[in-house]
Amino acid sequence: MSTTVIKNGTVVTADLTYKADVLIEGGKIVEIGLGLRGDEELDATGCYVMPGGIDPHTHLEMPFMGTYSSDDFESGTRAALAGGTTMVVDFALPNQGESLLDALKRWDNKATRANTDYSFHMAVTWWGEQVFNDMETVVKEKGINTFKHFLAYKGALMVNDDELFASFSRLAELGATPLVHAENGDVVAELSARLLAEGNTGPEAHAYSRPSQVEGEATNRAIMIADMAGAPLYVVHVSCEESHEAIRRARMQGKRVWGEPLIQHLTLDESEYFNQDWDHAARRVMSPPFRNKKHQDSLWAGLQSGSLSVVATDHCAFTTEQKRYGVGDFTKIPNGTGGLEDRMPMLWTNGVATGRLTMNEFVAVTSTNIAKILNCYPQKGAILVGADADIVVWDPEKEKTISAVGQQSSIDYNVFEGHKVKGLPRFTLSRGHVAIHDGEVRTREGHGQFVAREPNATVNKALSKWKALTAPQPVQRTGIPATGV
Ligand code: DUC
Ligand code: ZN
Ligand code: ZN
Ligand code: ZN
């Protein structure tokens, strides 16, 4: 079998920084050391050799708000590789009444085109005996241990608290982890109706309809419900201090709660919606919306202190034409922004180069922590002998100005347009295949494989006192009044 060696670089992992060559054979790392030789040599002089990024949150070719997100598993994972990301985790979304297994088949089919390895979270979009039963098969036979719940999108994807508690309880039983999109969907629906009635139809009203309190409330509620169900909890796209605060508090109390900010919320703010032309603002409509500087500072502080664990994109790309479905009614603007190609360079530039994050922390929040939480470490997220050779050779001196021109994503704009980044991949390897070679795209459609993830044994049960304190104890009473006399 032919071998590839990455030579003369500095290996950077979540723990360590050291000079070493990395030898790859059969898609795996087989040796790490000095003076290694291989059939193919990749020169990493001046570069950092890091675990490829994992994006735990993408929506590729997703049916949503009357259309489909425009990047599919081919263009989306090509964009990922160009930006140093070597694995994506997408959401399989069952229709109302559809079995989880049928939904999964549809996502399996879409993903056959992937250029990177991938996994799925299963979404719980309705509740019933079928979902309850399917969950066991999904966890035990399909290699999926994470289930997403939407507290927003009333009348479509939203689940109510009774369903949430039932689902979380079932997942706790199965050793699976619930994920939550935490926004109070009832309040959002009410605020949206009021804004429209007052004639606020433009994209900025989207931001007004989803203030940070709707996120704070829902995050707190989801944490409490998870605690009562004895389940851990992963909160997706944490965008504000209220939500971060709830997560911080939960973690200090010993609850297994993880928070995931997005690169968009870390680097773009609400000014993108105001005093901007319609297209500019609508292209940036996503849920939760961009926030002010105070919230951004909170998210950065969370990454620094470890109260927030990972950085994702929620990549859900719509063209300008699709965004224009919402002219005259902001509630019809498809929600979503792209970021797969830009997450790593934007985080490096705004995080590592500014001194907010160390290189090791960068690896942790873009890759290793994600692999650990989702339970695919050290197959993914590691530079270790035996790990998959999903590797990015990172050139800290390489610069560009982000632009839709020349990007891999199939949409016609980029929300980071004009942002300068310094720190980009020289090579990106997907299970040993050199998919990005010094700016040249050599991706292979269909190269990606599904990554199965076992359930986790680590649930909240041992940490939360709630169950022990309130476990029902039948009370022995005397003097019960006679009835039916
Ligand atoms: N938010 C978005 O902006 N798009 C996809 C789904 C979501 O929750
Ligand atoms: Zn969401
Ligand atoms: Zn999402
Ligand atoms: Zn290959």
Side-chain angles (χ1 to χ4, degrees), residues 173-230:
E173 213 167 75
L174 294 169
T177 298
L179 274 59
V180 66
H181 169 134
E183 289 183 301
N184 184 314
D186 288 316
V187 175
V188 170
E190 180 58 26
L191 288 177
S192 300
R194 279 192 211 171
L195 285 157
L196 283 175
E198 289 160 3
N200 287 304
T201 60
E204 65 287 350
H206 174 80
Y208 294 132
S209 75
R210 313 179 98 99
S212 56
Q213 293 96 321
V214 299
E215 195 182 330
E217 185 282 324
T219 306
N220 272 293
R221 175 160 41 103
I223 288 171
M224 296 301 174
I225 291 177
D227 190 28
M228 290 185 276

Side-chain angles (χ1 to χ4, degrees), residues 57 59 62 64 148 150 153 181 183 237 285-288 314 316 318 335-337:
H57 189 159
H59 300 283
M62 174 176 73
F64 189 53
K148 163 93 166 278
F150 293 88
Y153 302 114
H181 169 134
E183 289 183 301
H237 49 49
V285 162
M286 66 175 302
S287 296
D314 197 3
C316 186
F318 295 103
N335 287 198
T337 61

Side-chain angles (χ1 to χ4, degrees), residues 5-42:
V5 67
I6 302 171
K7 281 197 76 69
N8 307 320
T10 300
V11 172
V12 178
T13 70
D15 307 308
L16 300 170
T17 304
Y18 60 100
K19 289 238 167 239
D21 304 335
V22 176
L23 185 67
I24 297 157
E25 187 174 12
K28 300 229 177 247
I29 296 172
V30 294
E31 198 176 342
I32 302 168
L34 291 170
L36 303 182
R37 306 301 301 264
D39 301 318
E40 180 188 20
E41 299 202 343
L42 301 174

Side-chain angles (χ1 to χ4, degrees), residues 456-477:
N456 256 314
T458 50
V459 294
N460 262 351
K461 278 180 191 140
L463 292 166
S464 171
K465 296 201 171 58
W466 185 89
K467 280 208 162 191
L469 291 175
T470 60
Q473 301 288 340
V475 177
Q476 302 302 319
R477 290 189 203 283

Side-chain angles (χ1 to χ4, degrees), residues 302-356:
L303 289 178
Q304 289 179 186
S305 66
S307 53
L308 297 174
S309 306
V310 308
V311 176
T313 63
D314 197 3
H315 187 98
C316 186
F318 295 103
T319 63
T320 303
E321 197 188 330
Q322 290 175 305
K323 290 285 186 177
R324 288 182 182 164
Y325 297 164
V327 172
D329 180 351
F330 72 89
T331 65
K332 298 201 164 55
I333 301 170
N335 287 198
T337 61
L340 263 171
E341 188 168 346
D342 312 306
R343 178 183 65 135
M344 305 270 282
M346 281 294 286
L347 190 70
W348 183 275
T349 304
N350 294 281
V352 179
T354 59
R356 282 159 157 163

Side-chain angles (χ1 to χ4, degrees), residues 348-403:
W348 183 275
T349 304
N350 294 281
V352 179
T354 59
R356 282 159 157 163
L357 299 177
T358 66
M359 294 194 292
N360 309 94
E361 287 165 348
F362 174 86
V363 171
V365 300
T366 57
S367 184
T368 306
N369 287 355
I370 300 165
K372 288 179 179 173
I373 296 166
L374 301 185
N375 212 16
C376 55
Y377 181 85
Q379 179 191 351
K380 301 295 185 188
I383 304 283
L384 284 175
V385 170
D388 284 354
D390 277 8
I391 297 173
V392 60
V393 177
W394 193 259
D395 184 345
E397 296 301 323
K398 196 169 170 180
E399 298 178 73
K400 75 168 184 184
T401 301
I402 294 178
S403 173

Side-chain angles (χ1 to χ4, degrees), residues 138-152:
V138 168
V139 171
K140 293 191 177 158
E141 293 171 26
K142 301 294 178 185
I144 295 176
N145 67 4
T146 40
F147 291 71
K148 163 93 166 278
H149 305 72
F150 293 88
L151 304 189

